[in-house]
Amino acid sequence: MKLFLILDVALGFLMARLRQSIVAAVGVTFGVAMFIALVSFMSGLNDLLDGLILNRTPHIRFYNEIKPSASQPVNRSLLFQDAENFIRSVKPKDQGKEIYNSKAILQALKSDPTVIDVAPKAATQVFFNTGVIEIAGIVNGVDIQAEEKLFRFSDYVLEGDINDISNSSNSIFIGKGIADKLLVDIGDVIQVTTPKGDISSLKVAGIFQFGLAEIDNSTSYASLATVQKLLVKPASYITDIQIKLTDIKNAPATAFALSKEFGVDAVDIQTANSQFETGSKVRTIISYAVGITLLIVAGFGIYNILNMLIYEKMDSIAILKATGFSGRDVQGVFILLSLIIGIAGGLSGLLFGLGLTALIDNIPFETPSLPTIKTYPIVYSGVYYVIGITFAMVTTFFAGLFPARKASKLDPVTIIRGK
Amino acid sequence: MANMENEPVLRTKGISKSFFDPVENKVLKDVTFQIERGSFCSIVGKSGCGKSTLLYILSTMDTDFEGELYLDGQSLRGLSNMELARVRNEKIGFVFQFHYLLDEFTVLKNVILPGIKLGKLTKEQLEHEAMGLLKIMGVDDQAMKKPNQLSGGQKQRIAIARALINKPVIIMGDEPTGNLDKKNTEIVFEIFKELSQERKQSLLVVTHDDDFARRTDRIIEMEDGRIIKS
Ligand SMILES: Nc1ncnc2c1ncn2[C@@H]1O[C@H](COP(=O)(O)OP(=O)(O)O)[C@@H](O)[C@H]1O
Ligand SMILES: [Mg+2]
């Protein structure tokens, strides 16, 4: 009942200054809409840029690091057990890059419910040759089905059918950079030289492009068997095991645990790519800062109109007080007024924000390095809308609070006398 | 509350007030008087003698004074601003020299607004009541207009209707006819007279119109912050 009355009076004042009220509301609309468009777009961009790396990166990678033995012979000698042993010029021991007992590890990982899938890999450095040209690069021997499942390899294939990798031996998919340098196309044969000096001829079955020049200029994919044959190794030879987990957040802990369990080195995605998280965070902070700044500017607009309204409606405030409205009632009127402007502006801001993001979402954005992206990236999330409207309400509340308190303190006698 | 009927509607004891602007200026000096229920009193005095200042104190809008003030048998000392607002709303009807209607609302809405605030009657009941009051004032045909479309005399009659909506124990007026022509002054006086005689409404009206004052039940004369004759 009382709220109704206060709302009634607030609306009356609002109608008396409808044009300025609308202008103030449009300020809020603009702030909220820009905030939503900006955050949605920045998040889209973040996901895109992260995806560029993170989609290509396993949550955990198991491998054998080249490093010195953890326990040097002198430490094992009973004679020097209580002594502090200094050893200089320790050299790493070449245990090879092979993961031993890989079959058992693969089996164990595949039956683990927190693991989405497992992709084994046998990678080696090579030289690609045609004629007299030699390009240093890498051949990844992979299980192409697992690779497709974990990393959506086919998204990045420009030409060729990925199944050819497993179907016909001695086939190879090469990065676009290599193809351009070697001037080869599908069906051509290239020579590959291993570090041991063995030379093989492989047929180009496809060309891919990840959008990262470093990879596209040096990397190629073949079947596990092809690489094992290339290196003259048995069918159990594997250098990397890559897994994805159901929850990426568990990667560091799981990596640590599994590394101990299997006795191999493991690196998790967070450790391997910490710089990307930093970049995402900075972009997120920037978009929030800009959006919030816009809303605060809108808040000043509301502050202004309310101050003007109070000045104009001084007589009305005096008469309300003289006829029995308390200071708190008057304060309520002006806060409500501000909230009405905030809600109206904020809600239309949500709509405009949605429209603006939809618009950005439809702007063509085609770049050869991102074959799957056709338009600018947008993330649609209710959270941004909730944040937008909440912040609009908070800003307008405070923008209204100060003028409202001023109005509540106005002394009716001074105003009535002033005539 | 049995003796309420005998209790004067308004009673003061030794009201004094000073302004410090920048030196002390004692505007009211030991003002003690009372208004009986149902009487129509006028306050007269030279300009600047403290009539308005006294009326603002009596109407609870100015709380910065010394002395005692009883309205309807209740001491107003120590009441919070909220409680004083409630007292004004329920017990006092105020009519100013300038009409102070809210231009953003219709005439009818202006009249019922203090009633909605009081919350004793529904909106429909209040509207019915207000139409009756507007009819007495002879402006019922203007109920749906905005105040800025009306003449000064009409506005003042609407302000009186608004002052009456909550059936106050007393109506106070600070030169309510000060801004009106002779004809409208006459109309407003007749309305006050009628309220006094037919409704036993207590009225306290500041005026500098001697003719107006002479026709009230009682004249309170002020000079230099004191009551010299009443
Ligand atoms: N706010 C104020 N500050 C200082 N002096 C004031 C103020 N209001 C009124 N006065 C002084 O108080 C005296 C009485 O004023 P007022 O009550 O308005 O007189 P009246 O209504 O009888 O003409 C005058 O001398 C006036 O100058
Ligand atoms: Mg005066």
Side-chain angles (χ1 to χ4, degrees):
Chain A
M1 179 68 207
K2 199 178 148 203
L3 187 69
F4 244 57
L5 173 63
I6 286 175
L7 181 67
D8 208 355
V9 177
L11 284 175
F13 285 177
L14 187 82
M15 289 305 162
R17 274 273 159 242
L18 195 57
R19 281 245 309 271
Q20 282 96 324
S21 303
I22 288 174
V23 170
V26 167
V28 179
T29 303
F30 184 73
V32 171
M34 286 310 284
F35 170 77
I36 285 171
L38 208 66
V39 173
S40 303
F41 180 50
M42 281 292 185
S43 302
L45 218 55
N46 275 346
D47 286 2
L48 179 107
L49 292 173
D50 291 352
L52 216 56
I53 298 300
L54 300 186
N55 287 351
R56 297 290 320 135
T57 313
H59 294 172
I60 301 175
R61 183 171 77 92
F62 299 99
Y63 64 106
N64 256 339
E65 187 139 50
I66 295 192
K67 62 184 173 196
S69 298
S71 75
Q72 295 290 333
V74 68
N75 294 330
R76 271 181 249 160
S77 159
L78 293 172
L79 206 58
F80 302 110
Q81 208 156 45
D82 299 328
E84 190 70 38
N85 300 316
F86 294 95
I87 314 165
R88 285 175 206 283
S89 294
V90 179
K91 294 283 182 294
K93 185 183 166 202
D94 184 13
Q95 301 167 307
K97 292 177 179 171
E98 180 175 1
I99 295 176
Y100 297 102
N101 202 15
S102 61
K103 230 178 175 152
I105 296 176
L106 285 175
Q107 209 86 67
L109 287 173
K110 272 182 182 155
S111 57
D112 189 331
T114 65
V115 174
I116 296 176
D117 212 348
V118 185
K121 190 163 102 176
T124 180
Q125 283 168 330
V126 291
F127 286 110
F128 299 104
N129 331 59
T130 44
V132 290
I133 302 176
E134 273 191 345
I135 298 175
I138 293 167
V139 184
N140 291 312
V142 296
D143 171 352
I144 195 65
Q145 265 71 38
E147 199 74 9
E148 170 68 7
K149 195 167 171 200
L150 286 195
F151 308 120
R152 302 191 55 79
F153 181 65
S154 59
D155 277 357
Y156 305 94
V157 170
L158 300 179
E159 291 172 77
D161 177 359
I162 57 164
N163 290 316
D164 288 349
I165 291 181
S166 48
N167 289 351
S168 53
S169 65
N170 292 344
S171 312
I172 189 167
F173 268 55
I174 56 175
K176 185 152 193 313
I178 302 173
D180 289 347
K181 283 188 199 162
L182 297 179
L183 288 171
V184 293
D185 215 332
I186 287 191
D188 292 344
V189 171
I190 55 171
Q191 303 258 299
V192 172
T193 312
T194 68
K196 292 252 164 72
D198 300 318
I199 302 177
S200 311
S201 294
L202 299 176
K203 199 174 120 201
V204 176
I207 296 172
F208 62 84
Q209 185 176 40
F210 286 137
L212 298 168
E214 202 184 321
I215 294 177
D216 294 335
N217 288 343
S218 64
T219 313
S220 65
Y221 284 82
S223 69
L224 264 175
T226 305
V227 173
Q228 284 156 354
K229 208 166 75 186
L230 212 66
L231 296 172
V232 203
K233 296 279 186 186
S236 65
Y237 179 84
I238 281 171
T239 60
D240 297 76
I241 298 173
Q242 313 169 90
I243 61 170
K244 282 205 173 177
L245 302 173
T246 47
D247 186 358
I248 189 170
K249 289 196 194 72
N250 295 334
T254 313
F256 183 75
L258 291 180
S259 162
K260 273 215 156 149
E261 186 182 337
F262 300 140
V264 290
D265 294 303
V267 62
D268 59 88
I269 190 166
Q270 283 87 345
T271 310
N273 293 290
S274 50
Q275 78 272 23
F276 286 97
E277 219 167 307
T278 319
S280 303
K281 256 186 205 150
V282 169
R283 281 190 292 273
T284 309
I285 289 172
I286 290 174
S287 39
Y288 274 81
V290 172
I292 284 170
T293 307
L294 288 172
L295 284 173
I296 288 175
V297 171
F300 275 106
I302 294 182
Y303 177 82
N304 268 340
I305 171 132
L306 284 190
N307 268 331
M308 194 169 81
L309 209 62
I310 286 167
Y311 188 76
E312 252 176 34
K313 297 291 166 203
M314 213 107 91
D315 287 357
S316 302
I317 294 166
I319 198 65
L320 284 174
K321 286 188 166 177
T323 54
F325 283 73
S326 63
R328 201 187 290 182
D329 293 333
V330 172
Q331 179 170 328
V333 166
F334 283 91
I335 286 179
L336 210 57
L337 200 61
S338 155
L339 286 181
I340 291 169
I341 295 174
I343 292 171
L347 288 181
S348 49
L350 296 186
L351 285 180
F352 275 104
L354 184 62
L356 207 58
T357 42
L359 199 72
I360 296 171
D361 202 5
N362 282 304
I363 299 174
F365 173 64
E366 289 191 44
T367 155
S369 61
L370 300 164
T372 51
I373 305 297
K374 299 278 177 259
T375 57
Y376 278 103
I378 287 286
V379 169
Y380 292 95
S381 164
V383 176
Y384 308 146
Y385 293 77
V386 173
I387 293 175
I389 192 77
T390 307
F391 204 79
M393 301 303 297
V394 171
T395 323
T396 50
F397 175 77
F398 281 107
L401 186 62
F402 298 105
R405 287 180 52 175
K406 196 164 99 186
S408 83
K409 292 203 184 95
L410 274 183
D411 180 7
V413 174
T414 337
I415 298 164
I416 293 166
R417 254 189 204 288
K419 277 274 177 178
Chain B
M1 293 281 159
N3 63 343
M4 273 288 270
E5 291 303 307
N6 312 323
E7 174 78 19
V9 65
L10 187 79
R11 185 157 63 86
T12 73
K13 221 169 90 190
I15 286 187
S16 298
K17 179 174 175 77
S18 297
F19 286 111
F20 298 88
D21 183 26
V23 291
E24 184 171 355
N25 173 17
K26 201 158 187 185
V27 179
L28 293 177
K29 298 159 189 163
D30 193 27
V31 175
T32 303
F33 74 110
Q34 61 182 52
I35 307 279
E36 305 306 329
R37 250 166 235 277
S39 78
F40 183 5
C41 301
S42 56
I43 302 178
V44 294
K46 290 204 188 79
S47 181
C49 71
K51 304 184 296 292
S52 296
T53 308
L54 177 63
L55 208 62
Y56 295 134
I57 289 172
L58 299 183
S59 67
T60 79
M61 282 193 278
D62 185 352
T63 52
D64 181 19
F65 65 93
E66 287 150 42
E68 299 293 332
L69 172 60
Y70 299 88
L71 182 74
D72 201 20
Q74 174 194 13
S75 169
L76 299 184
R77 174 171 293 280
L79 293 192
S80 70
N81 283 333
M82 287 273 262
E83 290 163 325
L84 288 175
R86 173 86 190 177
V87 167
R88 280 200 295 282
N89 184 226
E90 193 175 6
K91 300 198 167 171
I92 302 171
F94 214 108
V95 185
F96 306 94
Q97 178 173 9
F98 301 91
H99 339 306
Y100 287 114
L101 298 173
L102 303 180
D103 284 336
E104 41 279 337
F105 297 120
T106 62
V107 163
L108 185 63
K109 188 85 167 257
N110 265 283
V111 174
I112 66 171
L113 218 48
I116 299 175
K117 170 67 195 161
L118 186 62
K120 278 192 178 159
L121 299 180
T122 66
K123 198 175 170 214
E124 287 67 35
Q125 289 169 317
L126 283 167
E127 279 176 351
H128 182 76
E129 188 80 9
M131 284 312 292
L133 289 168
L134 289 172
K135 192 160 197 144
I136 295 171
M137 306 300 147
V139 283
D140 51 328
D141 50 335
Q142 314 292 333
M144 289 305 149
K145 287 194 183 162
K146 293 280 169 73
N148 51 15
Q149 297 168 292
L150 306 179
S151 76
Q154 287 173 317
K155 284 189 200 173
Q156 200 58 304
R157 282 182 264 166
I158 290 154
I160 297 168
R162 179 182 60 196
L164 287 166
I165 189 75
N166 286 341
K167 301 193 169 63
V169 296
I170 187 164
I171 297 253
M172 300 185 191
D174 190 3
E175 308 201 18
T177 60
N179 208 30
L180 299 181
D181 59 23
K182 211 157 175 77
K183 190 174 140 246
N184 277 302
T185 300
E186 190 55 33
I187 293 172
V188 168
F189 180 83
E190 283 307 323
I191 289 169
F192 282 157
K193 194 80 198 165
E194 210 175 297
L195 290 172
S196 162
Q197 284 173 349
E198 281 167 29
R199 296 187 165 219
K200 298 283 170 252
Q201 176 70 57
S202 317
L203 291 138
L204 179 62
V205 178
V206 170
T207 182
H208 56 233
D209 180 343
D210 288 338
D211 190 41
F212 186 107
R214 217 171 297 126
R215 294 154 69 194
T216 61
D217 301 343
R218 174 181 163 208
I219 300 172
I220 298 167
E221 204 175 330
M222 285 183 71
E223 195 180 288
D224 198 20
R226 287 180 217 278
I227 292 177
I228 54 168
K229 214 161 83 187
S230 80

